[in-house]
Amino acid sequence: MPAPSVARKPQPPRPDTPVALVTGASSGIGAATARRFADGGWRLLLSGRNREGLARTAAGTSADVLPGDLTAPGGPRLLARSALETAGRIDVLVAGAGIGWAGPFTAMPHDVIDGVLAVDLVATLHLVREVLPAMVARGRGRVVLIGSVAGCVGVREEAVYSAAKAGLAAFAEALRQELRGTGVGVTLVVPGPVDTEFFARRGTPYRRNRPRPIAPATVARTVWDAVDRKRDEVYVPGWLTLPGRVRGLTPWLYRRLLNRFG
């Protein structure tokens, strides 16, 4: 009789295996990106608030799960310390944690304003601040920030989310210039709407006909390619660079289109 099959356990990573810390890894873009890096043979450090979601992402891999709330006092520092103690280094940080809210700004609760800014902007900046010194000391590494087309065009009834993502884009540009010559790069990934639980969690579904939501795996492949090619900024899909170009060349036309399409 044939011997019964035995499920293989993931092999422990080798010391020279590159390490990626992915936040927001319990679902959506973060989870898809983590799986893409796992397929590429990287060692993964997965962070997020949903322990069950992190366990699903880590299933079948040798990933280390580091659950936590980045908006909690000292959260970014604790995560960076745990990640460095666990793996010894971080070659790539993918900052994928994010939340949203949609509706008239005048109806937006003050605590929700604080929450969106805390998760989408402030916590990310603090985490980068904690991770970056070790990268600079080693002379290599890359920070990947997940932005949004909302930060480029300003989306109606998403004023605070747009502001947070615009701030992230400005931060990426400024930090990139500051790190010139250090061996550490900064990549800003700018997706359009993505088919994830993001819209359900914010309580308002995506109602636009265009642009159509793309799969999180598409964004994950773009992140992987951007890290591999050391690209500074990428849009998903690529045609989303057009609104920014129109804004720069013909502001009046840009605003007319924005007034019409929101």
Side-chain angles (χ1 to χ4, degrees):
M1 294 179 63
S5 60
V6 178
R8 288 186 181 180
K9 292 184 178 180
Q11 295 297 314
R14 294 173 42 174
D16 59 347
T17 301
V19 179
L21 170 60
V22 183
T23 68
S26 58
S27 63
I29 294 173
T33 299
R35 287 190 285 267
R36 180 62 187 87
F37 274 75
D39 291 343
W42 283 54
R43 180 176 184 180
L44 293 175
L45 306 174
L46 307 180
S47 181
R49 292 184 286 191
N50 187 324
R51 292 174 180 266
E52 293 181 357
L54 290 176
R56 286 192 296 270
T57 303
T61 75
S62 58
D64 291 285
V65 174
L66 305 174
D69 185 352
L70 287 175
T71 65
R77 180 175 300 175
L78 290 173
L79 174 58
R81 184 180 301 169
S82 297
L84 291 171
E85 289 176 353
T86 299
R89 70 180 191 279
I90 299 168
D91 295 294
V92 168
L93 165 65
V94 180
I99 61 174
W101 191 89
F105 179 65
T106 53
M108 190 173 186
H110 290 279
D111 62 326
V112 178
I113 294 174
D114 294 341
V116 171
L117 292 175
V119 175
D120 294 351
L121 181 60
V122 177
T124 297
L125 268 59
H126 281 294
L127 180 59
V128 173
R129 171 63 182 84
E130 294 294 337
V131 168
L132 205 54
M135 288 184 176
V136 173
R138 292 178 60 238
R140 61 182 183 272
R142 182 158 293 270
V143 173
V144 179
L145 305 173
I146 305 299
S148 169
V149 68
C152 303
V153 301
V155 176
R156 182 185 302 151
E157 296 195 344
E158 294 185 36
V160 177
Y161 179 74
S162 296
K165 292 300 186 179
L168 206 60
F171 171 68
E173 190 65 61
L175 186 62
R176 188 179 300 121
Q177 296 303 316
E178 187 174 326
L179 293 174
R180 289 178 62 187
T182 67
V184 180
V186 179
T187 296
L188 178 68
V189 178
V190 186
V194 184
D195 187 12
T196 68
E197 297 174 359
F198 173 87
F199 299 106
R201 284 198 299 265
R202 76 176 188 180
T204 305
Y206 183 77
R207 296 190 177 95
R208 301 174 189 272
N209 294 323
R210 292 186 180 277
R212 293 182 178 178
I214 57 176
T218 301
V219 183
R221 287 193 297 269
T222 301
V223 173
W224 170 264
D225 180 72
V227 170
D228 183 57
R229 299 188 182 188
K230 300 180 179 180
R231 300 181 66 182
D232 291 338
E233 187 172 275
V234 288
Y235 287 73
V236 199
W239 68 263
L240 286 178
T241 59
L242 183 60
R245 294 178 183 177
V246 173
R247 182 178 188 177
L249 294 173
T250 55
W252 62 270
L253 177 59
Y254 164 80
R255 288 189 174 84
R256 181 174 294 180
L257 292 171
L258 197 62
N259 289 340
R260 179 176 178 182
F261 298 106

